[in-house]
């Protein structure tokens, strides 16, 4: 079977498996669908499809030679027994700084960081509330004989009881409202940047950069309209709004695997790569064949040479020792990767100057 | 005024006088404000004052994009290889090591790779990239093939480079002697390993030369 076709079959199998696991968890978590809310079935099927498609795309992404190599190397470095405990602590620290605090995005720009932080936490909060409800994993019941108390069931097990008329209940039952406020504020900041920043305006594409903001805004606003309808307008147009809100959410779920929001699933690779880079920095360094200075981890240079060969590039150079990836002794250069980026820039200039050899006195 | 698709970048590195104007101007570009994406490199500082301005050559099959594990580097329809897409780039540095011209840079604190995008906010609408707009020696020139032919009748633009066994074709052109280009229409970069800087006589204001900036909106 051709490799591309084989890759797709494997990815599709992973996708089906993950969707099947989720379907099984929905059945188990909702106690054989006894707690499943039939009104939310559209959402459920959209999440099942999204799970299939996200896994499929993730699996296809991992089939790319550089991704596959980094995936293996990252896990291998992370799971090294001698450093595992320290790595887990460090991974938690890096995850907190990078993903909970979005530190690197704030460094790209304060407003940019604020926009992302607000959107991200709004979506995390909304997902944490919506998905367990949609899948029937969480439901609320009043206690027998105590209509003033609500009991929370998770996977069918009672976990918490609280008064209906309490500040806590108000905060919990309006969780999606708070999420909508966060998302709308973030979307406003993001849209502002996309309207006034010339650089962003040049590069942005509708499907990649504008559509996700529009979708998140539509979900948030229609969700708030539902709350407004049942809180202050006696349920005016509630059914229409419920369908409208469902459409916006389902479209976003269907968009999730294909568009910009897929970075949610790709981004954690950043943590794995950071461990790989740490391991490389502490190991042997590659020495430039031209300037004899260290310029990169030898492990990384060797891996890159392997990846390039896998991709069909042939930067091998005539000379001794073509198999090596490092600074082994040899009179010639075996691979262009063994030259540091700075020397590559100089070589470009020297090579162009070389073409003018013999024509030094010819002005132009 | 020429359409953007008729405009090309021409680099004549040996005309560079090392004035750093391009480095400063590059920071003004809207797509990477405050950061200069051009490299101005001494080819052999110990023996020569020769400098080489290195911009992204915008390869037709960009090695940086192919080796990117995050699939973050994209080439737009007009042949410009863009900086890594910000949501995806995981700052691994593969692109930095893979680029045969040594162009991309990783900014660790911001977890992003950035590189010359030919001042996409300008070039995509037919304006001259910042570096070419200020280069006093025309080592960096942005214009049409007709303009460069008129300016440099003894030179030919070529866009094929050899790195060992690997041939790379680029969107950006490099100027070489016309006679040489007719015989060997590529530049063998790897063959310059033992090369030393060579002098080249280049009057900066040839008598009767056409204004290189005529017809180019700055």
């Amino acid at each position: 079977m051709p490799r591309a076709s084989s890759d797709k079959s494997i990815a599709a199998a992973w996708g089906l498996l993950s969707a099947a696991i989720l379907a099984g968890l929905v059945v188990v978590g909702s106690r054989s669908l006894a707690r499943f809310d039939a009104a939310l079935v559209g959402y459920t099927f959209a999440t099942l499809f999204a799970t299939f498609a996200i896994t499929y795309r993730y699996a296809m992404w991992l089939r790319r030679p550089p991704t596959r190599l980094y995936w293996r190397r990252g896990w291998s470095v992370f799971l090294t027994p001698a450093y595992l405990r320290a790595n887990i602590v460090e991974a938690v620290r890096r995850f907190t700084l990078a993903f909970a605090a979005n530190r690197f995005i704030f460094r790209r720009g304060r407003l940019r960081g604020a926009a992302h932080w607000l959107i991200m936490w709004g979506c995390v909060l909304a997902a944490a509330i919506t998905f367990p409800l949609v899948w029937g994993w969480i439901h609320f019941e009043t206690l027998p004989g105590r209509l003033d108390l609500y009991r929370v069931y998770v996977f069918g097990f009672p976990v918490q009881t609280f008064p209906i008329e309490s500040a806590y209940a108000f905060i919990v039952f309006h969780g999606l409202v708070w999420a909508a406020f966060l998302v709308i504020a973030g979307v406003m900041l993001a849209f502002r940047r996309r309207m006034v920043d010339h650089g962003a305006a040049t590069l942005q594409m509708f499907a990649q950069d504008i559509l996700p903001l529009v979708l998140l805004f539509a979900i948030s606003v229609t969700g708030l309209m539902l709350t407004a309808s049942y809180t202050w307008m006696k349920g005016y147009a509630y059914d229409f709004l419920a369908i409208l809100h469902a459409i916006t959410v389902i479209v976003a779920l269907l968009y999730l695997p294909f568009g910009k929001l897929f970075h949610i699933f790709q981004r954690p690779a950043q943590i794995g790569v950071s461990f790989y880079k740490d391991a490389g920095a502490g190991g042997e360094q590659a020495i430039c064949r031209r300037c004899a200075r260290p310029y990169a981890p030898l492990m990384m240079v060797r891996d890159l040479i392997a990846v390039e060969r896998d991709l069909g590039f042939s930067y091998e150079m005539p000379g001794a020792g073509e198999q090596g990836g490092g600074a082994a002794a040899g009179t010639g250069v075996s691979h262009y990767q063994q030259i540091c980026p700075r020397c590559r820039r100089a070589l470009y200039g020297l090579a162009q100057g070389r073409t003018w050899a013999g024509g030094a006195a010819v002005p132009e | 005024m020429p359409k953007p698709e008729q405009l090309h970048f021409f680099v004549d590195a040996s005309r560079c006088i090392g004035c750093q104007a391009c480095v400063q101007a590059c920071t003004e570009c809207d797509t990477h404000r405050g950061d200069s994406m051009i490299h101005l490199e001494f080819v052999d500082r110990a023996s020569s004052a020769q400098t080489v301005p290195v911009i992204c050559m915008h390869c037709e099959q960009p090695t940086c994009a192919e080796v990117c594990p995050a699939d973050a580097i994209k080439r737009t329809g007009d042949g410009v290889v863009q900086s890594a897409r910000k949501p995806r780039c995981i700052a691994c540095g593969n692109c930095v090591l893979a680029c045969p011209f040594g162009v991309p840079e990783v900014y660790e604190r911001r977890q992003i790779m950035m590189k010359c995008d030919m001042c996409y906010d300008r070039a995509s609408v037919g304006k001259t990239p910042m570096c070419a707009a200020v280069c006093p020696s025309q080592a960096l020139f942005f214009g049409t093939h007709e303009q460069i032919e008129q300016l440099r009748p003894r030179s030919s633009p070529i866009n094929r480079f050899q790195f060992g066994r690997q041939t790379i074709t680029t969107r950006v052109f490099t100027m070489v002697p016309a006679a040489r280009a007719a015989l060997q229409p590529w530049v063998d970069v790897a063959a310059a390993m033992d090369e030393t800087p060579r002098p080249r006589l280049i009057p900066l204001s040839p008598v009767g030369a056409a204004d290189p900036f005529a017809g180019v909106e700055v």
Side-chain angles (χ1 to χ4, degrees):
Chain A
M1 189 185 291
R3 181 169 160 175
S5 173
S6 163
D7 287 349
K8 285 179 183 172
S9 300
I10 292 168
W14 279 111
L16 286 171
L17 179 65
S18 58
I21 290 172
L22 177 61
L25 287 172
V26 169
V27 173
V28 172
S30 60
R31 293 293 174 102
S32 301
L33 304 182
R35 303 297 178 193
F36 185 78
D37 187 347
L40 303 177
V41 70
Y43 291 99
T44 307
F45 277 104
T47 56
L48 284 170
F49 173 78
T51 304
F52 166 78
I54 288 165
T55 311
Y56 176 87
R57 188 172 170 196
Y58 199 89
M60 286 300 288
W61 180 53
L62 285 184
R63 304 300 291 175
R64 298 179 72 246
T67 319
R68 187 170 57 217
L69 186 136
Y70 265 112
W71 170 267
R72 288 178 182 164
R73 281 274 195 268
W75 280 112
S76 162
V77 168
F78 182 78
L79 296 173
T80 305
Y83 301 106
L84 183 57
R85 184 174 295 181
N87 283 348
I88 290 171
V89 173
E90 186 60 20
V92 170
R93 191 184 75 84
R94 290 180 188 184
F95 192 90
T96 305
L97 287 172
F99 301 133
N102 285 176
R103 184 172 68 170
F104 70 98
I105 306 177
F106 276 95
R107 284 172 173 168
R108 292 176 183 177
R110 270 179 294 177
L111 281 179
R112 183 186 200 120
H116 190 273
W117 193 89
L118 290 165
I119 292 172
M120 183 197 75
W121 277 111
C123 290
V124 167
L125 180 60
I129 294 169
T130 306
F131 290 139
L133 286 173
V134 164
W135 296 329
W137 292 357
I138 290 182
H139 74 279
F140 301 87
E141 284 183 4
T142 50
L143 292 185
R146 289 294 306 271
L147 294 179
D148 60 326
L149 290 180
Y150 250 145
R151 178 166 285 172
V152 186
Y153 292 83
V154 176
F155 269 65
F157 299 103
V159 293
Q160 190 186 16
T161 304
F162 57 86
I164 292 175
E165 298 294 337
S166 65
Y168 179 77
F170 181 81
I171 291 169
V172 167
F173 288 128
H174 290 83
L176 290 175
V177 172
W178 317 136
F181 286 160
L182 290 172
V183 170
I184 289 173
V187 167
M188 291 294 103
L189 287 175
F191 259 128
R192 179 189 174 279
R193 191 180 76 83
R194 296 208 164 274
M195 285 190 285
V196 303
D197 185 313
H198 291 173
T202 301
L203 296 168
Q204 66 198 11
M205 294 176 283
F206 179 78
Q208 280 293 320
D209 303 306
I210 306 298
L211 184 58
L213 292 176
V214 170
L215 283 172
L216 292 174
F217 183 76
I219 292 170
S220 304
V221 168
T222 54
L224 287 179
M225 287 163 80
L226 280 170
T227 305
S229 170
Y230 71 70
T231 306
W232 298 305
M233 303 168 74
K234 299 177 182 174
Y236 177 76
Y238 189 88
D239 290 344
F240 168 73
L241 289 172
I243 292 171
L244 191 62
H245 182 64
I247 289 170
T248 60
V249 174
I250 290 169
V251 169
L253 284 170
L254 299 183
Y255 173 82
L256 199 54
F258 305 105
K260 182 177 192 170
L261 299 178
F262 189 69
H263 79 272
I264 296 165
F265 308 98
Q266 286 181 310
R267 196 77 218 178
Q270 178 181 337
I271 303 290
V273 159
S274 68
F275 282 103
Y276 175 77
K277 289 173 83 170
D278 286 352
E284 189 180 350
Q285 300 298 296
I287 306 296
C288 174
R289 288 295 180 95
R290 182 171 177 269
C291 67
R293 295 192 186 102
Y295 66 99
L298 183 55
M299 174 172 70
M300 190 173 178
V301 173
R302 284 181 171 153
D303 285 345
L304 194 53
I305 288 173
V307 165
E308 286 184 352
R309 284 180 180 151
D310 211 3
L311 289 166
F313 287 106
S314 51
Y315 281 102
E316 288 82 2
M317 302 170 71
E322 290 200 356
Q323 297 306 312
T331 52
V333 173
S334 62
H335 199 282
Y336 204 69
Q337 287 303 333
Q338 293 165 340
I339 299 167
C340 72
R342 188 173 175 279
C343 282
R344 290 180 209 173
R345 297 192 285 269
L347 283 176
Y348 163 68
L350 285 167
Q352 192 259 355
R354 192 170 183 248
T355 65
W356 290 93
V362 181
E364 181 179 79
Chain B
M1 184 176 159
K3 295 175 183 172
E5 60 267 25
Q6 296 170 326
L7 295 166
H8 297 276
F9 211 117
F10 303 92
V11 180
D12 195 345
S14 54
R15 295 179 73 94
C16 178
I17 56 172
C19 68
Q20 301 260 357
C22 54
V23 176
Q24 299 306 319
C26 186
T27 62
E28 302 285 333
C29 175
D30 271 326
T31 52
H32 48 82
R33 257 191 317 275
D35 295 304
S36 186
M37 295 290 117
I38 192 168
H39 299 274
L40 190 64
E41 208 69 66
F42 285 99
V43 296
D44 184 4
R45 187 70 183 95
S47 65
S48 167
Q50 186 189 335
T51 49
V52 50
V54 183
I55 60 167
C56 178
M57 302 298 282
H58 301 283
C59 305
E60 285 184 3
Q61 188 193 1
T63 313
C64 60
E66 296 280 341
V67 303
C68 174
D71 199 16
I73 304 171
K74 298 294 179 190
R75 186 168 176 264
T76 40
D78 49 7
V80 174
V81 182
Q82 302 289 347
S83 284
R85 289 192 67 81
K86 290 183 176 66
R88 290 190 185 183
C89 179
I90 52 178
C92 65
N94 251 12
C95 50
V96 175
L97 287 184
C99 173
F101 297 98
V103 169
E105 283 200 76
V106 163
Y107 294 76
E108 288 282 350
R109 279 173 53 80
R110 286 178 265 170
Q111 290 284 295
I112 187 71
M113 175 282 265
M114 288 166 69
K115 65 170 197 59
C116 156
D117 61 1
M118 215 192 274
C119 287
Y120 201 63
D121 57 321
R122 299 174 59 82
S124 61
V125 292
K127 291 184 178 178
T128 305
M130 294 302 293
C131 57
V134 300
C135 180
S137 63
Q138 298 142 39
L140 304 166
F141 181 80
F142 188 75
T144 63
H145 274 284
E146 291 72 28
Q147 283 173 315
I148 198 74
E149 279 168 18
Q150 189 184 359
L151 265 175
R152 312 273 165 76
R154 295 175 197 270
S155 302
S156 283
I158 60 168
N159 63 344
R160 275 175 60 198
F161 300 87
Q162 201 66 35
F163 300 90
R165 297 190 191 122
Q166 183 66 47
T167 304
I168 294 290
T169 309
T170 63
R171 189 184 191 279
V172 172
F173 290 87
T174 287
M175 304 306 291
V176 299
R180 184 185 175 98
L183 297 172
Q184 182 185 311
W186 68 85
V187 174
D188 192 339
V189 180
M193 274 295 286
D194 301 317
E195 185 69 14
T196 52
R198 297 171 187 251
R200 183 180 161 204
L201 181 61
I202 302 168
L204 291 182
S205 302
V207 177
D211 177 2
F213 300 115
V216 180
E217 187 180 334
V218 177

